[in-house]
Amino acid sequence: MSLANYVESMCNTELNNLAKNRWIDEFMQVRIYEQGYKVANSYLAENSMLCDSVKEMLWNDGTKRSYVLKATLVASRHYENNTSKYEELYFDHKKKFLSSYMGRWRLSSCFLRNAGLRAPVHIVDDITNWILDDKEINSSYEGNRIAREVINHPNLSVDSCVKMTTYPRDQIRKWAFERLVEINRENKKSA
């Protein structure tokens, strides 16, 4: 009897560990997904050897957690060359990203750090506007962390960088001015 036949009888810990395994084939990945266990599906979404068909199943998952799966897929670089997936995720779930601590953590991991370094300019601009307009967030430690990530983003536009020079915290404004100088220097070199 093959391992695939045992998937249905596996406990959650076994499913989780199997989903993390990079060397399982597409058939096994589909069987794990079909079990419907949320944590195992999250581990599948993080799997660097995820098959395209299972990636699309996870992306199109209709459960309440679908935005979490999409965020995990983007943060795990499964769509790093597909800006339409970044746009769909951000604009379809923007309210969820901005309304809670975990949402803002996902915002950073998807659009500002690691895989997020491929996020389109207009998403970084939108995050910049939010961070500046939300007085509660821009006066918090978390807001300062996100502001620093925005300033360091390679797709930060000149306009957004100029806006960040008006941030309420002195250190963030200083970093924004330094980044503006750096962007201008890069633009002169490429001209």
Side-chain angles (χ1 to χ4, degrees):
M1 187 178 278
S2 72
L3 182 60
N5 294 329
Y6 290 109
V7 171
E8 292 175 3
S9 62
M10 288 183 170
C11 71
N12 291 343
T13 302
E14 292 167 329
L15 282 172
N16 293 343
N17 289 330
L18 190 58
K20 293 177 195 177
N21 188 323
R22 294 177 299 164
W23 308 112
I24 57 173
D25 62 7
E26 181 177 8
F27 179 75
M28 288 298 297
Q29 291 178 12
V30 170
R31 295 293 297 258
I32 293 167
Y33 172 77
E34 289 173 345
Q35 292 303 307
Y37 180 52
K38 295 184 295 188
V39 178
N41 286 343
S42 289
Y43 285 124
L44 268 179
E46 292 174 354
N47 191 320
S48 62
M49 302 288 279
L50 186 64
C51 299
D52 288 341
S53 64
V54 179
K55 182 177 14 174
E56 290 308 309
M57 288 176 175
L58 291 165
W59 186 268
N60 295 316
D61 187 277
T63 63
K64 288 181 182 178
R65 272 182 60 90
S66 65
Y67 118 92
V68 173
L69 289 174
K70 289 176 183 178
T72 304
L73 286 164
V74 168
S76 298
R77 297 179 178 196
H78 290 295
Y79 292 108
E80 71 180 346
N81 295 321
N82 189 340
T83 57
S84 66
K85 294 292 188 184
Y86 282 85
E87 292 166 350
E88 179 184 338
L89 174 62
Y90 181 75
F91 292 109
D92 287 356
H93 302 284
K94 182 177 172 179
K95 187 174 181 179
K96 290 179 184 175
F97 282 120
L98 306 181
S99 64
S100 70
Y101 174 79
M102 282 306 296
R104 291 185 292 272
W105 178 82
R106 282 189 186 92
L107 174 93
S108 287
S109 67
C110 290
F111 304 108
L112 300 175
R113 289 181 277 151
N114 302 328
L117 301 180
R118 301 245 190 211
V121 173
H122 61 280
I123 291 177
V124 179
D125 289 345
D126 198 73
I127 294 170
T128 301
N129 292 334
W130 163 71
I131 195 84
L132 288 167
D133 293 342
D134 190 322
K135 300 298 180 208
E136 183 178 324
I137 197 70
N138 69 31
S139 63
S140 69
Y141 171 79
E142 182 184 19
N144 293 332
R145 177 187 52 79
I146 294 170
R148 177 70 173 168
E149 291 171 350
V150 164
I151 290 167
N152 288 326
H153 199 281
N155 289 339
L156 180 67
S157 67
V158 173
D159 290 343
S160 287
C161 194
V162 168
K163 289 178 186 177
M164 289 302 290
T165 64
T166 66
Y167 196 81
R169 187 163 176 244
D170 291 340
Q171 185 62 48
I172 301 292
R173 284 196 308 270
K174 178 182 176 242
W175 289 329
F177 278 113
E178 290 171 358
R179 179 78 165 111
L180 187 58
V181 169
E182 183 182 314
I183 291 171
N184 286 331
R185 192 175 306 134
E186 289 170 4
N187 289 342
K188 284 180 182 178
K189 283 182 184 177
S190 64

